[in-house]
């Protein structure tokens, strides 16, 4: 699917004539659907950790640099423990608060391995990663549309389920026009929950802690099965 097919499907479901173009259209209704497609896609992209948004990154230390810019596509980290030294895979690098990091710097106390915090659009490590030291991490991208965050052409495709965007457009359009959208919203929620469960898969949680990020004894959890 694409922006054109997403909007066309939604407009058809609303009893409207499917457009021949969307992005460059001057038709008020078509423009409304495109704007709602942006709103719906933005909301869906933040709803769960979609597989298509999972991205890896690498930081290479030089022994002096402590601040490294976040990727332009960065939205949020996937876990509370995103940073791992390539040569020390048994435990992650730990996040510290602003006051704690400042105390390290003022006292010139250096942890055995770098700790980190977020500082504006940067990640700050202390001490500076050693020269050649590789830090790997994963994050969720905000680029859910063909490598970007906003529509730019009718042939733009998505890395999140486009069918859900079409379903979301139906209830959002009816809501915007003051029509009854309750049943459309209910159907949309059911389908969205199904897709999110599929994306999550079966979660395996360790029964024994190997580092402080584990959560104790538990079992396999399948979010698709009701208790």
């Amino acid at each position: 699917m694409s922006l054109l097919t997403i909007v066309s499907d939604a407009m058809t479901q609303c009893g409207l004539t499917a457009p021949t173009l969307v992005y460059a259209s001057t038709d008020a209704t078509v423009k409304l659907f495109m704007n709602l497609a942006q709103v719906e896609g933005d909301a869906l992209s933040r709803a769960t950790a979609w597989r298509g948004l999972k991205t890896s990154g690498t930081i290479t230390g030089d022994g002096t640099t402590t601040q490294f810019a976040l990727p332009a596509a960065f939205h949020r980290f996937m876990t509370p423990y995103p940073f791992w030294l390539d040569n020390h895979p048994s435990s992650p690098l730990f996040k510290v608060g602003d006051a704690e990091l400042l105390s390290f710097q003022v006292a010139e106390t250096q942890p055995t391995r770098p700790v980190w915090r977020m500082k504006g659009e940067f990640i700050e490590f202390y001490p500076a990663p050693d020269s050649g030291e590789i830090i790997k991490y994963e994050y969720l991208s905000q680029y859910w549309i063909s490598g970007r965050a906003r529509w730019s052409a009718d042939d733009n495709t998505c890395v999140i389920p486009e069918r859900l965007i079409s379903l979301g457009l139906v209830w959002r359009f009816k809501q915007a026009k003051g029509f009854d959208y309750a049943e459309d919203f209910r159907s949309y929620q059911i389908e969205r929950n199904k897709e999110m469960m599929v994306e999550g898969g079966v979660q395996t949680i360790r029964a024994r802690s190997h580092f402080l990020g584990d959560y104790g004894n538990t079992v396999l959890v399948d979010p698709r099965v009701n208790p």
Side-chain angles (χ1 to χ4, degrees):
M1 296 177 73
S2 63
L3 172 61
L4 179 58
T5 53
I6 288 170
V7 171
S8 295
D9 286 355
M11 291 184 67
T12 299
Q13 290 182 62
C14 291
L16 303 171
T17 302
T20 56
L21 75 163
V22 174
Y23 187 76
S25 177
T26 58
D27 182 271
T29 300
V30 176
K31 291 173 67 175
L32 174 60
F33 270 91
M34 185 182 73
N35 290 336
L36 293 176
Q38 183 71 50
V39 172
E40 177 60 30
D42 286 342
L44 279 175
S45 70
R46 297 188 295 266
T48 193
W50 302 103
R51 286 171 292 182
L53 295 179
K54 294 179 180 180
T55 308
S56 299
T58 300
I59 291 172
T60 302
D62 60 10
T64 59
T65 302
T66 59
Q67 295 187 25
F68 298 83
L70 290 166
F74 177 82
H75 172 54
R76 63 179 173 86
F77 291 119
M78 292 167 53
T79 74
Y81 302 91
F83 294 106
W84 296 76
L85 287 176
D86 195 40
N87 62 352
H88 198 294
S90 61
S91 63
L93 299 183
F94 291 104
K95 183 178 182 179
V96 295
D98 297 334
E100 188 174 4
L101 184 64
L102 180 60
S103 70
F104 285 149
Q105 294 170 335
V106 170
E108 298 184 353
T109 300
Q110 295 193 2
T112 56
R113 296 188 305 139
V115 294
W116 65 276
R117 68 167 176 171
M118 295 188 71
K119 184 179 180 181
E121 298 301 314
F122 294 84
I123 296 296
E124 182 176 13
F125 292 95
Y126 184 81
D130 292 338
S131 179
E133 194 167 51
I134 296 175
I135 299 173
K136 295 181 178 179
Y137 64 99
E138 291 187 334
Y139 65 95
L140 291 177
S141 170
Q142 63 176 320
Y143 290 171
W144 58 272
I145 308 171
S146 305
R148 56 179 56 85
R150 299 192 65 83
W151 301 113
S152 64
D154 281 355
D155 62 355
N156 286 167
T157 56
C158 306
V159 297
I160 57 179
E162 294 171 328
R163 184 177 67 90
L164 288 183
I165 300 180
S166 284
L167 292 175
L169 289 186
V170 173
W171 77 261
R172 288 183 185 275
F173 173 75
K174 292 184 178 181
Q175 180 192 51
K177 292 298 183 180
F179 302 147
D180 180 15
Y181 63 93
E183 183 59 31
D184 298 290
F185 182 62
R186 189 187 71 84
S187 298
Y188 161 80
Q189 285 189 308
I190 291 173
E191 294 303 314
R192 187 186 70 166
N193 290 340
K194 287 179 181 178
E195 289 287 351
M196 290 173 62
M197 289 176 181
V198 170
E199 287 286 323
V202 178
Q203 181 183 7
T204 302
I205 302 177
R206 296 173 181 172
R208 176 174 296 177
S209 177
H210 294 282
F211 63 91
L212 295 179
D214 280 341
Y215 295 97
N217 297 328
T218 140
V219 294
L220 291 178
V221 176
D222 187 345
R224 292 168 293 184
V225 178
N226 292 324

